[in-house]
Amino acid sequence: MKNKCVPILGLLAFAVLAQGAEDKVLWYDKPATDWEKEALPIGNGRIGAMVFGGVASERLQVSEKSLWTGGPGSEGGYDYGLPAESQATTVAAVGKQLLDGATLEPEAVAKKLGRKMQNYGDYQGFGDLLIDLETSGEPVRDYRRDLDLDTGVARVMFKQGMVGYRRNYFVSFPDQVLVARWISTAAQKLRVRYTVPDNRSAQTRVEAGASAARITVAGALKSNGLKYAVEVMILPDCGRIAVEGDAVLYEGDCAVTVLVAARTNYLLHYPDYRANVDPAQAAARDITIALKRSFPVLAQRHSADHGALFSRVHLDLGAAFKLPTDRLRSAYGTGNAAADRALEQLYFNYGRYLLIASSRAGSLPANLQGVWNDKATPPWNADYHVNINLQMNYWPAESANLAETAAPLFDFVDGLVKPGKLAAQRFFGAPGWTLFLNTNAWGYVGPIDWPTALWQPEAAAWLAQHYHEHYLFSGDEKFLRSRAWPVMKGAAEFWLATLVSDPRDGKFVVSPSYSPEHGPFTAGAAMSQQIVADLFMRSAEAARLVGDKAFAARLDEALAKLDRGLRVGKWGQLQEWKQDLDDPKDDHRHVSHLFALHPGNAIDPEKTPELAAAAQKTLEARGDASTGWSRAWKVNFWARLHDGDRAHKLLAGLLRDSTLPNLWDTHPPFQIDGNFGATAGMIEMLLQSQNGEIVILPARPVTWEKGSIKGIRARGDVTVDIEWDMCGEKYVELHTGRDATLKVRSGIVGGEHGFGYDKKFKPTFKQEEDLLTFTARRGGMYFLKRAGTHCDQ
Ligand code: FUC
């Protein structure tokens, strides 16, 4: 077909296919008994709760992001992972030993560079809100427990005898309290308690007035003296309340509202990490403020706040299916494509929901479990692993139109710079800042003593990428100057000082270097080099924008000599190490050497086809079966290779084998990174913009035969809607936040189509094959429409 571009004046309405709410609700027909697999998460970023929905005994297991053992104040001391004496000579000696192509086993390096974590601490649970209902003992009918992703409200509904019950739960960000509302069609007799684990002191006070009762529990963690307080207000609309021991009793004919405030005296501030506040007073203040609003007002404020973020994006895969979520999940992949798509759509929506619920401004970022934890010693301390996991948590933040949720990540990383400078000095004698595999709420920046994961000084550079991405997506130059640049420059200064010249070829390499959790120590492992290259490229661009020409020149010079970590090996694979050591039979979950494919952008099927082919060879060899987050990363890899069906195969594997009945990702155990990584990957399948072009449907799988997505983001401050069928995109709409020249690559452009815009934003444009280049204006709307709606396939 001859290419033809017909400008259409005026605006076309973009029809979003009507969807039932079914794709935005997780629902079950029985109460949860298992915290990890069945309970439903609600949260406001800082406070999280897991809802069980028990009929006679309800349990809301509560968490608060800052309640951590360990760190300053711990008996026996805490050193942030920093040795008192400089280790720079030892590190340099190990680095030198590796320079001629030698390898060292991780155990040998751990003996020299590993350090035992001392009082690293664990993320803690905050206790349980327990509400017992005196029931008639009659059989329960029409039970439903659900989580409405649209409103951010969990509900429990059932009937018993002639009585109907409904309970609503949410954690409000604007009002900073957990809210529960119990309603029944007959009188209710309730017993409300709040219990805390025994690794803390606890003074419990229970008091009841004529119309309200209060439970306060306050104390400090035995581990480190961190103070905490919870205040529970029980507010019946009518009826009688009384105190019995540590419980509040209620009996009456009315609805009961329960408010829970939770605070600690944690402050994200090196080195003390303590605020000069009394958490009991802070929790009381939260309650006092919340008490000024009625339940409907609290509910409305919560849903408006949540909805403002959640409703920005709509995915429609043409799926509609009515099955409880646990059964929808267990039926996944058994032959009903429409039901499969329903789960995929729900899972995508859930990923966005979870990010909103576990990451809001003013608190710590989402950890390995988001904000939810019920254990005193959770897996991997429920900390911040920075060799993939924390980064993966934030992959959807920009593309899924939830940039605000990245605020806690930036605050947290800003807070790592001070201790990170000491890490750079003590371990390398270098300027700038760094950290290694993992960190906690207490600014931990040292290596640990676990041989296969102690060394990852590229973590700071990788985290700096998120700042630059925020700038690329938003175009916010103020953020670039004031927030991104100091972090990026510090990370770059560290590497400018620590790279060494490789005698094998004179190139700059990282040494000692270690490919995360895999293989031997070498000089110049692919991931190390790719991350440093990524940082230097981004920093050079940023340096020019902020006017730091001298630094840009230093980076350009270093880039000219830098080993980019991009080599094709003897079996056609992308090499994980500078030496060709890759084993084609190795199926390790970390595929770190494909960093340049994703989240980096140095490997691209169009621009670097040989490297893309090598990346594909590597992925084929590693196979599709893996742990939760690893499968999620592979969704992104295959999407970047423009293989939608393979990306979908990985997503299917994740849903089938690495997803729990409550749709949490399981590594195993539960780890939230896979939820976020897969959500980001689903967007990568539909829209990419990492290489200067907005690419529409780069990796749409055949099974997503028709559908639409609305409100996702491309770099350059562009919001994108796409509608497609089996023949590809039918309609693409771009909302542009900046004056800029945009390049859009789309199958529509290659065929007969209309290009439309508002008259007042008339662009100049040119078309080369499937690439449309045009001048976009701030506040503009532009669309591409396939000529003819017919699709023969
Ligand atoms: C990385 C992974 C592990 C686990 C841990 C939290 O170290 O290799 O599999 O996900 O993070």
Side-chain angles (χ1 to χ4, degrees):
M1 191 196 302
K2 204 167 153 279
N3 289 348
K4 200 172 160 211
C5 182
V6 195
I8 301 174
L9 293 180
L11 302 175
L12 276 194
F14 179 49
V16 186
L17 298 175
Q19 324 191 8
E22 214 45 40
D23 67 326
K24 299 201 183 83
V25 180
L26 276 71
W27 64 283
Y28 304 82
D29 55 13
K30 51 185 172 308
T33 52
D34 187 296
W35 183 92
E36 182 192 25
K37 300 186 176 69
E38 295 169 351
L40 290 174
I42 53 174
N44 70 353
R46 188 174 67 80
I47 301 172
M50 293 296 282
V51 180
F52 283 72
V55 167
S57 300
E58 175 61 293
R59 176 179 176 212
L60 265 77
Q61 189 275 327
V62 180
S63 306
E64 202 277 355
K65 200 65 106 13
S66 65
L67 194 73
W68 267 77
T69 54
S74 303
E75 200 186 326
Y78 174 69
D79 66 4
Y80 311 85
L82 294 166
E85 306 287 319
S86 171
Q87 305 293 304
T89 319
T90 321
V91 173
V94 174
K96 208 162 165 210
Q97 217 181 326
L98 297 164
L99 271 184
D100 61 358
T103 61
L104 280 172
E105 284 313 308
E107 289 71 18
V109 178
K111 281 199 186 114
K112 293 186 178 163
L113 304 181
R115 296 193 76 244
K116 205 169 162 39
M117 292 193 290
Q118 197 189 4
N119 288 319
Y120 181 80
D122 287 282
Y123 181 45
Q124 297 297 304
F126 214 86
D128 287 297
L129 175 69
L130 302 169
I131 309 180
D132 298 333
L133 167 75
E134 193 178 288
T135 75
S136 61
E138 290 165 275
V140 171
R141 288 177 289 124
D142 300 340
Y143 180 93
R144 179 177 162 115
R145 172 172 65 94
D146 69 22
L147 177 62
D148 184 336
L149 307 180
D150 240 341
T151 55
V153 177
R155 291 172 302 199
V156 180
M157 287 156 283
F158 59 91
K159 292 188 192 123
Q160 198 171 27
M162 300 300 288
V163 186
Y165 295 88
R166 202 178 78 216
R167 307 165 186 168
N168 282 16
Y169 303 111
F170 58 87
V171 189
S172 166
F173 178 70
D175 291 309
Q176 291 294 317
V177 285
L178 187 161
V179 182
R181 172 94 166 160
W182 282 44
I183 302 177
S184 82
T185 56
Q188 328 186 63
K189 223 170 154 183
L190 309 178
R191 185 161 180 268
V192 184
R193 284 170 301 145
Y194 193 92
T195 60
V196 296
D198 61 8
N199 63 356
R200 61 204 72 176
S201 63
Q203 291 86 48
T204 304
R205 234 181 46 224
V206 187
E207 32 186 19
S211 58
R214 184 196 316 259
I215 304 172
T216 51
V217 187
L221 292 176
K222 290 176 190 164
S223 155
N224 56 13
L226 186 75
K227 291 185 193 159
Y228 75 93
V230 65
E231 179 155 330
V232 182
M233 276 303 284
I234 299 108
L235 302 153
D237 290 359
C238 72
R240 290 184 304 282
I241 31 183
V243 173
E244 187 191 75
D246 61 356
V248 169
L249 305 182
Y250 167 76
E251 192 173 352
D253 224 350
C254 276
V256 179
T257 303
V258 180
L259 305 179
V260 182
R263 290 281 175 182
T264 72
N265 68 337
Y266 174 84
L267 182 70
L268 177 58
H269 182 265
Y270 174 84
D272 45 309
Y273 295 95
R274 291 290 190 283
N276 191 16
V277 296
D278 174 3
Q281 275 176 18
R285 198 180 49 239
D286 290 339
I287 293 288
T288 307
I289 295 171
L291 281 176
K292 296 195 176 120
R293 310 187 201 282
S294 64
F295 172 78
V297 173
L298 288 170
Q300 187 277 330
R301 281 166 56 84
H302 163 69
S303 293
D305 165 76
H306 173 84
L309 295 169
F310 185 78
S311 66
R312 287 176 186 165
V313 172
H314 293 274
L315 171 68
D316 178 11
L317 298 176
F321 221 80
K322 293 204 186 312
L323 262 189
T325 305
D326 45 351
R327 273 189 264 149
L328 187 65
R329 200 214 61 84
S330 56
Y332 185 81
T334 56
N336 184 335
D340 289 356
R341 287 196 294 268
L343 185 68
E344 290 159 9
Q345 208 168 301
L346 181 61
Y347 188 76
F348 174 81
N349 290 331
Y350 192 46
R352 294 186 69 255
Y353 166 87
L354 288 171
L355 192 56
I356 299 167
S358 66
S359 188
R360 298 296 299 274
S363 176
L364 288 161
N367 58 41
L368 285 172
Q369 299 183 174
V371 58
W372 300 281
N373 175 41
D374 67 334
K375 294 185 178 62
T377 52
W380 289 286
N381 319 84
D383 72 353
Y384 301 95
H385 269 52
V386 282
N387 70 352
I388 176 64
N389 317 87
L390 177 61
Q391 290 90 339
M392 184 177 279
N393 282 0
Y394 286 91
W395 285 348
E398 303 292 340
S399 62
N401 210 340
L402 292 173
E404 295 87 338
T405 62
L409 176 71
F410 299 136
D411 290 346
F412 183 67
V413 176
D414 284 359
L416 288 169
V417 172
K418 262 193 193 162
K421 280 188 174 159
L422 296 175
Q425 281 163 23
R426 304 261 171 96
F427 291 101
F428 299 86
W433 73 284
T434 194
L435 76 161
F436 297 84
L437 166 82
N438 52 327
T439 185
N440 55 8
W442 315 118
Y444 191 91
V445 286
I448 59 172
D449 63 353
W450 183 27
T452 52
L454 75 127
W455 204 253
Q456 172 74 21
E458 301 82 6
W462 191 349
L463 290 165
Q465 188 195 56
H466 286 248
Y467 286 75
H468 189 241
E469 286 289 317
H470 180 72
Y471 162 70
L472 291 180
F473 274 92
S474 64
D476 184 347
E477 278 197 29
K478 189 165 162 264
F479 176 88
L480 181 75
R481 278 172 206 283
S482 63
R483 300 291 303 270
W485 179 238
V487 170
M488 294 172 76
K489 186 173 182 183
E493 275 171 333
F494 170 77
W495 285 110
L496 283 171
T498 49
L499 290 171
V500 286
S501 178
D502 188 334
R504 289 173 284 186
D505 57 9
K507 293 279 188 190
F508 282 170
V509 286
V510 173
S511 189
S513 156
Y514 186 63
S515 198
E517 313 201 18
H518 193 215
F521 273 72
T522 62
M527 186 191 235
S528 305
Q529 302 304 130
Q530 292 172 13
I531 290 181
V532 174
D534 186 87
L535 172 74
F536 282 7
M537 305 266 284
R538 290 170 190 271
S539 302
E541 187 194 312
R544 274 184 267 277
L545 274 162
V546 303
D548 196 338
K549 286 196 196 122
F551 200 68
R554 280 181 71 197
L555 289 166
D556 288 346
E557 213 177 294
L559 273 166
K561 295 193 201 143
L562 184 69
D563 183 320
R564 303 293 176 106
L566 298 168
R567 279 188 184 74
V568 181
K570 54 180 181 285
W571 48 276
Q573 87 285 13
L574 200 84
Q575 283 181 215
E576 186 161 359
W577 299 276
K578 192 161 180 175
Q579 303 91 306
D580 192 345
L581 304 174
D582 304 80
D583 175 356
K585 295 205 180 66
D586 184 350
D587 63 357
H588 197 273
R589 64 189 180 285
H590 283 264
V591 198
S592 309
H593 43 316
L594 301 198
F595 174 93
L597 178 64
H598 181 278
N601 62 352
I603 301 179
D604 179 277
E606 310 302 329
K607 295 187 174 138
T608 59
E610 301 82 17
L611 294 173
Q616 175 159 346
K617 195 90 186 165
T618 291
L619 283 174
E620 297 282 6
R622 285 288 167 95
D624 298 337
S626 199
T627 66
W629 62 256
S630 175
R631 289 181 198 263
W633 199 352
K634 288 174 187 170
V635 174
N636 289 273
F637 286 144
W638 284 109
R640 287 275 172 102
L641 289 174
H642 298 176
D643 188 336
D645 288 334
R646 193 63 177 265
H648 183 268
K649 184 170 176 239
L650 266 300
L651 176 66
L654 183 75
L655 289 169
R656 202 185 49 233
D657 300 331
S658 305
T659 299
L660 299 168
N662 61 3
L663 302 194
W664 264 355
D665 166 68
T666 178
H667 179 53
F670 159 52
Q671 236 174 255
I672 207 158
D673 41 20
N675 286 99
F676 295 138
T679 303
M682 289 174 81
I683 295 177
E684 291 286 327
M685 290 158 79
L686 300 173
L687 178 72
Q688 292 178 23
S689 60
Q690 69 278 7
N691 266 319
E693 294 175 357
I694 296 173
V695 184
I696 310 295
L697 299 187
R700 178 185 63 89
V702 169
T703 179
W704 294 353
E705 46 196 28
K706 61 178 193 226
S708 64
I709 189 147
K710 196 170 188 288
I712 51 175
R713 299 273 291 164
R715 290 166 186 82
D717 198 359
V718 185
T719 307
V720 182
D721 302 343
I722 309 165
E723 198 182 346
W724 71 86
D725 59 19
M726 284 300 279
C727 297
E729 53 270 41
K730 293 200 289 196
Y731 182 75
V732 179
E733 187 171 297
L734 307 169
H735 293 262
T736 52
R738 311 255 148 196
D739 292 349
T741 300
L742 294 182
K743 290 177 189 291
V744 179
R745 196 172 286 280
S746 162
I748 296 189
V749 177
E752 221 170 290
H753 68 277
F755 174 42
Y757 37 82
D758 194 314
K759 266 184 259 177
K760 64 179 189 284
F761 293 135
K762 188 168 191 290
T764 56
F765 61 89
K766 74 170 195 268
Q767 182 195 339
E768 296 151 276
E769 299 183 341
D770 62 349
L771 187 70
L772 180 76
T773 307
F774 69 98
T775 50
R777 297 283 303 279
R778 178 196 169 100
M781 190 284 254
Y782 306 84
F783 66 82
L784 286 159
K785 189 176 186 312
R786 193 169 71 207
T789 48
H790 188 65
C791 172
D792 282 334
Q793 284 183 41

